[in-house]
Amino acid sequence: MIGRLTLSDFRNHADALIVPDHPFLVLTGDNGAGKTNILEAVSMLAPGRGLRGAALRDMARQGGPGGFGIAAEVDGVMLGTGVAPGAPDRRLVRIGGTASAANALADHLAIVWLTPAMDRLFLDSPGGRRRFLDRLTLALHPAHAAHSARYEAAMRARNRLLSDLRVADPAWLGALETQMEEHGTAVAAARSDLVLRLNAKLEGQPDAPFARPILAIAEEEPTEGSLAHRLARGRRRDAAAGRTLSGPHRQDLAVLHAAKRQAAALCSTGEQKALLLSILLAHAALVAVERGQPPVLLLDEIAAHLDPSRRVALFERLAATGGQVWMTGTEDQLFKELGAATRWKVTGGSIFRSAA
Protein backbone atom coordinates (compact mmCIF):
# COMPACT_ATOMS: atom_id res chain seq x y z
CA MET A 1 0.00 0.00 0.00
CA ILE A 2 0.97 3.59 -0.47
CA GLY A 3 1.76 4.98 2.95
CA ARG A 4 2.47 8.55 1.90
CA LEU A 5 1.93 10.46 -1.36
CA THR A 6 3.35 13.86 -2.22
CA LEU A 7 2.79 15.93 -5.36
CA SER A 8 4.54 19.05 -6.55
CA ASP A 9 3.42 21.12 -9.55
CA PHE A 10 1.34 18.24 -10.92
CA ARG A 11 -1.69 19.30 -12.97
CA ASN A 12 -3.60 21.84 -10.84
CA HIS A 13 -1.86 20.86 -7.59
CA ALA A 14 1.03 23.14 -6.63
CA ASP A 15 1.69 20.77 -3.75
CA ALA A 16 -0.27 18.07 -1.98
CA LEU A 17 0.33 15.56 0.78
CA ILE A 18 -1.83 12.51 1.44
CA VAL A 19 -1.11 10.12 4.30
CA PRO A 20 -3.67 7.30 4.23
CA ASP A 21 -4.69 5.66 7.48
CA HIS A 22 -7.21 3.21 5.99
CA PRO A 23 -7.26 0.97 2.89
CA PHE A 24 -10.19 3.00 1.49
CA LEU A 25 -9.43 6.57 0.36
CA VAL A 26 -12.32 8.72 -0.80
CA LEU A 27 -11.74 11.98 -2.70
CA THR A 28 -14.80 14.18 -3.16
CA GLY A 29 -15.27 17.58 -4.74
CA ASP A 30 -16.80 19.44 -7.65
CA ASN A 31 -16.00 18.62 -11.25
CA GLY A 32 -12.65 20.13 -12.18
CA ALA A 33 -11.44 20.35 -8.57
CA GLY A 34 -8.51 17.98 -9.21
CA LYS A 35 -9.74 14.60 -7.93
CA THR A 36 -8.86 12.64 -11.05
CA ASN A 37 -5.51 14.43 -11.17
CA ILE A 38 -4.60 12.76 -7.88
CA LEU A 39 -5.54 9.34 -9.24
CA GLU A 40 -3.48 10.10 -12.33
CA ALA A 41 -0.50 10.96 -10.14
CA VAL A 42 -0.79 7.58 -8.39
CA SER A 43 -1.07 5.83 -11.76
CA MET A 44 2.27 7.37 -12.76
CA LEU A 45 3.90 5.19 -10.09
CA ALA A 46 3.57 2.35 -12.60
CA PRO A 47 5.17 1.89 -16.02
CA GLY A 48 3.40 3.62 -18.89
CA ARG A 49 1.65 6.93 -19.42
CA GLY A 50 -0.87 6.82 -16.60
CA LEU A 51 -4.63 6.56 -16.59
CA ARG A 52 -5.14 9.40 -19.08
CA GLY A 53 -2.35 8.34 -21.44
CA ALA A 54 -1.27 11.98 -21.55
CA ALA A 55 2.03 13.47 -22.65
CA LEU A 56 4.42 14.24 -19.79
CA ARG A 57 4.59 17.94 -20.67
CA ASP A 58 0.80 18.21 -20.22
CA MET A 59 1.04 17.02 -16.60
CA ALA A 60 3.14 19.97 -15.40
CA ARG A 61 1.14 22.67 -13.61
CA GLN A 62 0.24 25.64 -15.79
CA GLY A 63 2.09 28.68 -14.48
CA GLY A 64 4.56 26.45 -12.63
CA PRO A 65 8.28 25.97 -13.23
CA GLY A 66 7.71 23.51 -16.07
CA GLY A 67 8.42 20.24 -14.26
CA PHE A 68 6.56 18.11 -11.73
CA GLY A 69 7.27 15.53 -9.08
CA ILE A 70 5.38 12.57 -7.59
CA ALA A 71 6.73 10.58 -4.66
CA ALA A 72 5.30 7.76 -2.58
CA GLU A 73 6.42 5.57 0.26
CA VAL A 74 5.58 1.90 -0.39
CA ASP A 75 6.57 -0.68 2.23
CA GLY A 76 9.48 1.46 3.36
CA VAL A 77 10.75 2.13 -0.18
CA MET A 78 10.50 5.58 -1.74
CA LEU A 79 9.25 5.63 -5.32
CA GLY A 80 9.48 8.84 -7.29
CA THR A 81 8.82 10.04 -10.81
CA GLY A 82 8.49 13.32 -12.65
CA VAL A 83 10.16 15.62 -15.15
CA ALA A 84 12.70 18.36 -14.63
CA PRO A 85 12.09 21.95 -15.81
CA GLY A 86 13.57 22.33 -19.26
CA ALA A 87 13.16 18.64 -20.14
CA PRO A 88 9.36 18.23 -20.26
CA ASP A 89 9.38 14.99 -22.28
CA ARG A 90 12.02 13.06 -20.33
CA ARG A 91 10.60 10.99 -17.52
CA LEU A 92 12.77 10.54 -14.45
CA VAL A 93 12.29 7.64 -12.04
CA ARG A 94 13.98 6.99 -8.72
CA ILE A 95 13.51 3.90 -6.54
CA GLY A 96 15.03 3.96 -3.08
CA GLY A 97 16.95 7.09 -4.05
CA THR A 98 18.55 5.48 -7.12
CA ALA A 99 17.82 6.39 -10.73
CA SER A 100 15.88 3.54 -12.36
CA ALA A 101 13.92 2.61 -15.46
CA ALA A 102 10.15 3.15 -15.31
CA ASN A 103 9.57 -0.57 -15.90
CA ALA A 104 11.20 -1.29 -12.52
CA LEU A 105 8.25 0.37 -10.76
CA ALA A 106 6.19 -2.75 -11.50
CA ASP A 107 8.36 -4.75 -9.11
CA HIS A 108 7.18 -2.62 -6.18
CA LEU A 109 3.59 -1.68 -6.89
CA ALA A 110 0.74 -3.14 -8.94
CA ILE A 111 -1.80 -0.52 -9.99
CA VAL A 112 -5.05 -0.97 -11.94
CA TRP A 113 -7.70 1.62 -12.69
CA LEU A 114 -11.19 2.19 -14.04
CA THR A 115 -12.25 5.59 -15.34
CA PRO A 116 -15.51 6.82 -16.92
CA ALA A 117 -13.74 6.89 -20.30
CA MET A 118 -13.34 3.12 -20.05
CA ASP A 119 -17.10 2.60 -20.02
CA ARG A 120 -16.83 2.38 -23.82
CA LEU A 121 -13.95 -0.10 -23.69
CA PHE A 122 -15.88 -2.85 -25.47
CA LEU A 123 -17.04 -0.50 -28.23
CA ASP A 124 -13.76 1.27 -28.90
CA SER A 125 -10.68 0.14 -30.82
CA PRO A 126 -8.73 -3.04 -30.06
CA GLY A 127 -5.84 -0.83 -28.95
CA GLY A 128 -7.76 0.34 -25.90
CA ARG A 129 -8.63 -3.22 -24.93
CA ARG A 130 -5.01 -4.31 -25.39
CA ARG A 131 -3.85 -1.55 -23.06
CA PHE A 132 -6.42 -2.65 -20.49
CA LEU A 133 -5.33 -6.28 -20.86
CA ASP A 134 -1.67 -5.29 -20.55
CA ARG A 135 -2.32 -3.30 -17.39
CA LEU A 136 -3.97 -6.36 -15.84
CA THR A 137 -1.15 -8.60 -17.08
CA LEU A 138 1.54 -6.29 -15.71
CA ALA A 139 0.12 -6.57 -12.20
CA LEU A 140 0.58 -10.34 -12.36
CA HIS A 141 3.78 -10.42 -14.43
CA PRO A 142 6.02 -7.39 -13.65
CA ALA A 143 8.43 -8.30 -16.50
CA HIS A 144 5.60 -7.78 -19.00
CA ALA A 145 6.40 -4.06 -19.32
CA ALA A 146 10.02 -4.68 -20.31
CA HIS A 147 9.09 -7.35 -22.86
CA SER A 148 6.40 -5.07 -24.34
CA ALA A 149 8.80 -2.12 -24.60
CA ARG A 150 11.51 -4.19 -26.29
CA TYR A 151 9.02 -5.74 -28.69
CA GLU A 152 7.70 -2.31 -29.67
CA ALA A 153 11.23 -0.91 -30.10
CA ALA A 154 12.24 -3.79 -32.39
CA MET A 155 9.02 -3.42 -34.39
CA ARG A 156 9.57 0.33 -34.89
CA ALA A 157 13.11 -0.34 -36.10
CA ARG A 158 11.84 -3.02 -38.49
CA ASN A 159 9.14 -0.70 -39.84
CA ARG A 160 11.77 1.96 -40.56
CA LEU A 161 13.86 -0.54 -42.52
CA LEU A 162 10.82 -1.74 -44.45
CA SER A 163 10.06 1.82 -45.57
CA ASP A 164 12.66 1.18 -48.28
CA LEU A 165 12.79 -2.57 -48.71
CA ARG A 166 15.13 -2.32 -51.71
CA VAL A 167 18.07 -1.22 -49.55
CA ALA A 168 17.09 -2.88 -46.27
CA ASP A 169 19.73 -5.27 -44.89
CA PRO A 170 18.12 -8.76 -44.73
CA ALA A 171 20.46 -9.78 -41.90
CA TRP A 172 19.45 -6.77 -39.79
CA LEU A 173 15.79 -7.42 -40.56
CA GLY A 174 16.26 -11.01 -39.46
CA ALA A 175 17.89 -9.93 -36.20
CA LEU A 176 15.02 -7.55 -35.44
CA GLU A 177 12.46 -10.24 -36.25
CA THR A 178 14.25 -12.62 -33.89
CA GLN A 179 14.01 -9.97 -31.15
CA MET A 180 10.33 -9.48 -31.90
CA GLU A 181 9.76 -13.22 -31.62
CA GLU A 182 11.61 -13.45 -28.30
CA HIS A 183 9.78 -10.59 -26.63
CA GLY A 184 6.51 -11.02 -28.50
CA THR A 185 6.29 -14.65 -27.41
CA ALA A 186 6.76 -13.54 -23.79
CA VAL A 187 4.09 -10.84 -24.20
CA ALA A 188 1.56 -13.27 -25.70
CA ALA A 189 2.32 -15.96 -23.09
CA ALA A 190 1.83 -13.54 -20.19
CA ARG A 191 -1.47 -12.34 -21.60
CA SER A 192 -2.67 -15.91 -22.15
CA ASP A 193 -1.68 -16.88 -18.61
CA LEU A 194 -3.56 -13.91 -17.19
CA VAL A 195 -6.72 -14.73 -19.16
CA LEU A 196 -6.54 -18.41 -18.17
CA ARG A 197 -6.18 -17.58 -14.48
CA LEU A 198 -8.86 -14.89 -14.58
CA ASN A 199 -11.36 -17.23 -16.18
CA ALA A 200 -10.64 -19.80 -13.48
CA LYS A 201 -11.18 -17.16 -10.80
CA LEU A 202 -14.41 -15.97 -12.45
CA GLU A 203 -15.76 -19.51 -12.96
CA GLY A 204 -17.31 -19.67 -9.51
CA GLN A 205 -18.60 -16.09 -9.43
CA PRO A 206 -22.37 -15.50 -9.31
CA ASP A 207 -24.05 -13.69 -12.20
CA ALA A 208 -25.43 -11.02 -9.86
CA PRO A 209 -25.15 -8.27 -8.74
CA PHE A 210 -22.32 -7.92 -11.29
CA ALA A 211 -22.38 -9.77 -14.59
CA ARG A 212 -19.93 -12.67 -14.92
CA PRO A 213 -17.62 -12.38 -17.93
CA ILE A 214 -15.69 -14.98 -19.92
CA LEU A 215 -12.44 -13.69 -21.41
CA ALA A 216 -10.51 -14.76 -24.49
CA ILE A 217 -7.70 -13.42 -26.64
CA ALA A 218 -8.72 -12.89 -30.25
CA GLU A 219 -6.13 -13.18 -33.00
CA GLU A 220 -6.48 -11.24 -36.25
CA GLU A 221 -4.73 -13.97 -38.25
CA PRO A 222 -3.63 -17.60 -37.87
CA THR A 223 -0.56 -18.00 -35.68
CA GLU A 224 0.90 -21.21 -37.13
CA GLY A 225 4.68 -21.24 -37.24
CA SER A 226 7.13 -19.04 -35.40
CA LEU A 227 6.58 -15.31 -35.30
CA ALA A 228 10.01 -14.68 -36.83
CA HIS A 229 9.11 -16.91 -39.78
CA ARG A 230 5.77 -15.15 -40.31
CA LEU A 231 7.45 -11.76 -40.13
CA ALA A 232 10.12 -12.75 -42.66
CA ARG A 233 7.48 -14.15 -44.97
CA GLY A 234 5.39 -10.99 -44.70
CA ARG A 235 8.04 -8.35 -45.35
CA ARG A 236 6.67 -7.25 -48.71
CA ARG A 237 3.13 -7.15 -47.39
CA ASP A 238 4.21 -5.13 -44.35
CA ALA A 239 6.30 -2.77 -46.49
CA ALA A 240 3.26 -2.09 -48.70
CA ALA A 241 1.03 -1.54 -45.66
CA GLY A 242 3.59 0.67 -43.90
CA ARG A 243 3.22 -1.31 -40.68
CA THR A 244 3.72 -4.78 -39.21
CA LEU A 245 0.63 -6.94 -39.67
CA SER A 246 1.67 -9.97 -37.60
CA GLY A 247 2.36 -10.26 -33.90
CA PRO A 248 0.85 -9.78 -30.45
CA HIS A 249 0.30 -6.06 -31.11
CA ARG A 250 -2.63 -7.23 -33.28
CA GLN A 251 -4.33 -9.22 -30.51
CA ASP A 252 -7.66 -8.17 -29.03
CA LEU A 253 -9.44 -8.90 -25.75
CA ALA A 254 -12.80 -10.61 -26.32
CA VAL A 255 -15.32 -10.59 -23.45
CA LEU A 256 -18.56 -12.55 -23.30
CA HIS A 257 -21.48 -12.03 -20.89
CA ALA A 258 -21.63 -15.58 -19.46
CA ALA A 259 -25.31 -15.70 -18.51
CA LYS A 260 -26.54 -14.23 -21.80
CA ARG A 261 -23.84 -15.80 -24.02
CA GLN A 262 -23.56 -12.39 -25.62
CA ALA A 263 -20.51 -10.38 -26.66
CA ALA A 264 -19.83 -7.48 -24.31
CA ALA A 265 -20.04 -5.01 -27.19
CA LEU A 266 -23.72 -5.99 -27.66
CA CYS A 267 -24.63 -5.61 -23.99
CA SER A 268 -26.21 -2.56 -22.40
CA THR A 269 -24.07 0.22 -20.95
CA GLY A 270 -24.93 -0.95 -17.44
CA GLU A 271 -24.03 -4.53 -18.25
CA GLN A 272 -20.71 -3.45 -19.75
CA LYS A 273 -19.88 -1.52 -16.58
CA ALA A 274 -20.81 -4.57 -14.50
CA LEU A 275 -18.57 -6.79 -16.65
CA LEU A 276 -15.65 -4.42 -16.15
CA LEU A 277 -16.19 -4.39 -12.40
CA SER A 278 -16.31 -8.18 -12.31
CA ILE A 279 -13.03 -8.40 -14.21
CA LEU A 280 -11.38 -5.86 -11.93
CA LEU A 281 -12.53 -7.53 -8.71
CA ALA A 282 -11.52 -11.01 -9.85
CA HIS A 283 -8.17 -9.64 -10.98
CA ALA A 284 -7.52 -8.00 -7.61
CA ALA A 285 -8.25 -11.29 -5.83
CA LEU A 286 -6.00 -13.18 -8.25
CA VAL A 287 -3.06 -10.79 -7.87
CA ALA A 288 -3.41 -10.85 -4.08
CA VAL A 289 -2.90 -14.62 -4.11
CA GLU A 290 -0.26 -14.84 -6.84
CA ARG A 291 1.95 -11.90 -5.84
CA GLY A 292 1.23 -11.89 -2.14
CA GLN A 293 0.03 -8.29 -2.41
CA PRO A 294 -3.22 -7.02 -3.91
CA PRO A 295 -3.03 -4.23 -6.49
CA VAL A 296 -3.78 -0.61 -5.69
CA LEU A 297 -7.14 0.15 -7.30
CA LEU A 298 -7.94 3.60 -8.71
CA LEU A 299 -11.67 3.99 -9.29
CA ASP A 300 -12.76 7.30 -10.79
CA GLU A 301 -16.45 8.19 -10.29
CA ILE A 302 -17.07 4.50 -9.64
CA ALA A 303 -20.28 4.87 -7.58
CA ALA A 304 -21.99 7.55 -9.67
CA HIS A 305 -24.34 5.24 -11.60
CA LEU A 306 -24.83 2.41 -9.13
CA ASP A 307 -27.96 2.01 -7.04
CA PRO A 308 -27.46 1.73 -3.24
CA SER A 309 -27.63 -2.09 -3.17
CA ARG A 310 -24.95 -2.43 -5.85
CA ARG A 311 -22.80 0.16 -4.09
CA VAL A 312 -22.95 -1.95 -0.92
CA ALA A 313 -22.05 -5.07 -2.87
CA LEU A 314 -19.17 -3.24 -4.58
CA PHE A 315 -17.74 -1.90 -1.33
CA GLU A 316 -17.95 -5.35 0.26
CA ARG A 317 -16.13 -6.94 -2.68
CA LEU A 318 -13.49 -4.21 -2.65
CA ALA A 319 -12.88 -4.71 1.07
CA ALA A 320 -12.48 -8.44 0.46
CA THR A 321 -9.54 -7.82 -1.90
CA GLY A 322 -7.49 -6.57 1.05
CA GLY A 323 -5.94 -3.89 -1.13
CA GLN A 324 -5.80 -0.12 -1.09
CA VAL A 325 -8.64 1.53 -3.01
CA TRP A 326 -8.68 5.17 -4.14
CA MET A 327 -12.14 6.39 -5.16
CA THR A 328 -13.49 9.71 -6.39
CA GLY A 329 -16.97 11.18 -6.46
CA THR A 330 -18.72 14.53 -6.54
CA GLU A 331 -20.77 13.87 -3.39
CA ASP A 332 -20.12 12.31 0.01
CA GLN A 333 -23.58 10.74 -0.24
CA LEU A 334 -22.27 8.25 -2.83
CA PHE A 335 -20.07 6.68 -0.15
CA LYS A 336 -22.38 6.68 2.85
CA GLU A 337 -22.60 2.85 2.76
CA LEU A 338 -18.82 2.55 2.80
CA GLY A 339 -18.17 3.01 6.49
CA ALA A 340 -14.59 3.58 7.65
CA ALA A 341 -12.31 5.32 5.16
CA THR A 342 -9.77 8.11 4.84
CA ARG A 343 -11.82 10.95 3.37
CA TRP A 344 -10.45 14.00 1.60
CA LYS A 345 -12.07 17.09 0.13
CA VAL A 346 -10.57 18.45 -3.08
CA THR A 347 -11.23 22.00 -4.17
CA GLY A 348 -9.40 24.27 -6.56
CA GLY A 349 -6.20 22.23 -6.50
CA SER A 350 -6.15 22.02 -2.69
CA ILE A 351 -6.82 18.94 -0.61
CA PHE A 352 -7.72 18.56 3.07
CA ARG A 353 -9.05 15.90 5.39
CA SER A 354 -12.79 15.64 5.67
CA ALA A 355 -14.72 14.13 8.57
CA ALA A 356 -17.79 13.36 6.45
Side-chain angles (χ1 to χ4, degrees):
M1 296 188 186
I2 295 172
R4 178 186 179 93
L5 176 74
T6 59
L7 312 182
S8 58
D9 294 307
F10 184 83
R11 295 289 189 182
N12 68 332
H13 296 279
D15 60 78
L17 170 64
I18 298 178
V19 182
D21 57 13
H22 191 277
F24 283 142
L25 290 90
V26 176
L27 306 168
T28 57
D30 295 337
N31 294 326
K35 305 183 300 297
T36 304
N37 293 342
I38 293 172
L39 298 193
E40 183 182 29
V42 176
S43 74
M44 292 301 294
L45 296 169
R49 298 176 60 182
L51 60 79
R52 284 192 175 105
L56 290 170
R57 61 174 58 236
D58 295 335
M59 299 179 191
R61 183 171 62 89
Q62 294 184 9
F68 69 84
I70 303 164
E73 182 273 322
V74 179
D75 294 334
V77 178
M78 291 302 301
L79 309 181
T81 189
V83 299
D89 299 314
R90 180 169 176 252
R91 183 178 181 183
L92 304 174
V93 173
R94 297 185 73 84
I95 299 176
T98 302
S100 303
N103 290 338
L105 291 167
D107 294 327
H108 298 270
L109 200 59
I111 304 176
V112 181
W113 53 79
L114 282 183
T115 68
M118 294 171 66
D119 286 352
R120 290 184 53 83
L121 183 73
F122 303 120
L123 302 177
D124 286 341
S125 68
R129 289 186 290 276
R130 275 194 301 274
R131 287 189 291 274
F132 176 66
L133 174 61
D134 283 338
R135 178 60 51 194
L136 299 181
T137 303
L138 178 61
L140 195 63
H141 298 283
H144 185 66
H147 284 299
S148 297
R150 290 166 186 163
Y151 175 84
E152 293 286 342
M155 182 171 63
R156 287 193 298 269
R158 177 179 182 271
N159 288 342
R160 285 194 295 269
L161 285 178
L162 290 178
S163 64
D164 193 346
L165 189 56
R166 295 170 300 174
V167 299
D169 181 355
W172 183 229
L173 277 171
L176 290 171
E177 288 160 357
T178 299
Q179 289 180 41
M180 289 179 66
E181 178 177 26
E182 176 188 352
H183 299 295
T185 299
V187 166
R191 288 173 179 167
S192 295
D193 180 69
L194 180 278
V195 167
L196 180 68
R197 291 168 184 252
L198 261 183
N199 279 334
K201 181 67 70 172
L202 287 161
E203 181 66 31
Q205 297 288 340
D207 293 318
F210 303 111
R212 181 170 65 88
I214 300 173
L215 284 66
I217 293 177
E219 306 281 354
E220 289 200 1
E221 61 173 22
T223 57
E224 289 84 5
S226 71
L227 177 57
H229 178 70
R230 285 183 279 128
L231 290 170
R233 192 176 60 223
R235 287 175 188 173
R236 291 190 179 278
R237 180 190 67 168
D238 293 351
R243 63 188 189 278
T244 299
L245 298 176
S246 298
H249 65 286
R250 305 278 289 176
Q251 290 180 327
D252 195 358
L253 174 64
V255 177
L256 188 74
H257 188 304
K260 299 178 70 171
R261 310 302 298 180
Q262 186 176 63
L266 302 177
C267 294
S268 70
T269 302
E271 287 172 331
Q272 291 177 6
K273 184 67 170 274
L275 289 167
L276 274 174
L277 284 171
S278 289
I279 293 171
L280 189 79
L281 292 166
H283 176 264
L286 175 64
V287 173
V289 172
E290 297 295 329
R291 282 190 64 167
Q293 65 175 73
V296 172
L297 301 180
L298 310 178
L299 307 178
D300 195 19
E301 301 291 348
I302 192 64
H305 303 294
L306 296 177
D307 58 49
S309 63
R310 283 185 170 82
R311 287 202 297 267
V312 170
L314 173 62
F315 297 151
E316 289 176 348
R317 292 280 299 277
L318 289 171
T321 69
Q324 191 176 58
V325 185
W326 299 61
M327 293 179 283
T328 68
T330 54
E331 304 174 16
D332 295 328
Q333 185 72 8
L334 293 170
F335 303 97
K336 70 175 185 178
E337 298 93 353
L338 182 59
T342 302
R343 298 173 186 264
W344 302 82
K345 190 75 174 177
V346 185
T347 176
S350 298
I351 180 169
F352 52 91
R353 288 291 297 265
S354 170

